[in-house]
Amino acid sequence: PLVVAAASRFLLFFLMQITVTEEPDMLFQKVVILVKGHDRAVLDSYEFFATMAAKELGITIGKVFEPPKAIERLTLLKSIHIFKKHRVQYEMRTHYRCIELYNITGCTAQVYLEYIQRNLPEGVAMEVTKTAMEKIPDHILEPLWKEIPTDDKPSQ
Amino acid sequence: MASPSSKAFLSLGRIYIPLLGFNKSSGKVTYATALSINSSSGNKGLPDRGGRGSLGRRPRRDAGEPRTEKMPVDQDWTAVYPAAAPFRPSSVPLPVRMGYPVKGGIPPEKKGNLELIKIPNFLHLTPAAIKKHCEALKPFCTEWPSALDTDAKCDEHFPIKVESTDYVSAGPSLRNLSARIVHLRNYDYAMYLLTVLYHESWKTEAWEAEKTVADMEEYSWEDSPSQKNVLDLLLRMKVAGEGDGEEVRQQLLGRREVQEYKDSVTRLKNEGESESGMVQYKEAVKKVFNL
């Protein structure tokens, strides 16, 4: 049986019920979506869908490009017994499509990625790389021993 | 256990909506609920048919005219394909042909075409549908803060960058092997490492005070033989006028040619010798000598 495994967290959005929290939003400097599939036409259509959805939601699109395809070939014997000179060759082609998005907030990223992933066609896989930006945590701004005076023995 | 359940599925398959009675032409009524399994109804049905149709199937009703004939030109396509669905030739009013043509022929038509059903279609994601979906999703999105428009500002306020990768795939197994490739073990550990390194960098040892000029990692021009040489040269050339004191030296240091000479020498020493470095040094020396 086919099992769809998704590592990112999805939240169910209930209709007519939007809760606004005081928690600060995460900021993503760059979100890179790489889709892999066996059919180039399917990836073309998916790219059109993803770029149009990003434009409608107001997300700045960086580059949209096509990394070169990867072909995995194997040569097997045609017959089950002897006939070494007669072989058959198979190949598996993996086409890629890469979409880079810049300056996107955590809420928007969650909404967009969930929308994109729910409409991922069958036979297509996706990898999402997110670069989040964060402030320096408070406990690093000053060394800890300036507040708590302790004897600091130098190491050997 | 297997045989009664298979008969139950037969009866469930013929009735589209459970909990509804369905009157067949033979007069036999079959009910099916989600919980009860009517194995006896399947048994009665088999002897009744006796030779009508192939494989014990009941005579099929004729399919009416396809929906495509009744579709108006300005219809709402999002209502025809609201969600992802396989290709239905009677619901799509396009003369699509797909498949390898017979010799001297054309690709087969859409009616009964397996190739069109196999390939994933995007009929539920037309531009109109995408616009509708995005309109519904807009309230959940937030805007990027307008103050952080350049990369430099982002780096200034938010210097730490955390990269994470997620994978979406389908297959016979739950696991995705590419998820096992990591750079650093986890986020908490990374923050702990950062704290430790920060505190370690503040610690100074007693022997660090004995650092000499030869130990320095980078070349610094202040108090170096190069600076002394340049200043002595300029004083001998009597550029600044009479007197040989600290104030005259400070004045000379502030001059533009001396600064350029300092930049070129520092660059040569730190980055090594290169074409552009030597050219810059030549220009600086020429300016010092007023050539």
Side-chain angles (χ1 to χ4, degrees), chain A residues 3 5 7-8 25 29 39 56 103 105 108 115 122 126-130 132-134 139-141 144-145 155, chain B residues 119-120 133 138 142 144 151 158-169 171 174 187 195 198-199 205:
Chain A
V3 175
S8 57
D25 211 355
Q29 200 176 29
D39 204 330
E56 292 291 317
N103 290 1
T105 54
T108 318
Y115 181 51
E122 38 289 327
M126 188 201 272
E127 281 171 19
V128 180
T129 310
K130 299 186 261 208
M133 319 197 292
E134 281 177 29
H139 57 269
I140 289 188
L141 289 170
L144 205 57
W145 43 75
S155 55
Chain B
I119 198 81
H133 297 155
K138 268 255 158 76
T142 49
W144 182 259
D151 272 343
F158 298 93
I160 299 182
K161 307 275 190 278
V162 180
E163 263 193 41
S164 57
T165 318
D166 300 322
Y167 301 92
V168 182
S169 60
L174 277 177
Y187 175 72
T195 324
Y198 177 78
H199 287 112
E205 305 283 335

Side-chain angles (χ1 to χ4, degrees), chain A residues 14-49:
Chain A
F14 298 101
L15 290 167
M16 304 297 159
Q17 207 181 355
I18 305 167
T19 47
V20 181
T21 50
E22 287 303 318
E23 187 190 318
D25 211 355
M26 268 225 285
L27 295 167
F28 292 111
Q29 200 176 29
K30 193 157 86 156
V31 174
V32 177
I33 302 171
L34 178 75
V35 262
K36 310 195 276 192
H38 290 302
D39 204 330
R40 206 165 162 254
V42 170
L43 292 181
D44 282 336
S45 307
Y46 190 74
E47 175 206 315
F48 172 78
F49 156 66

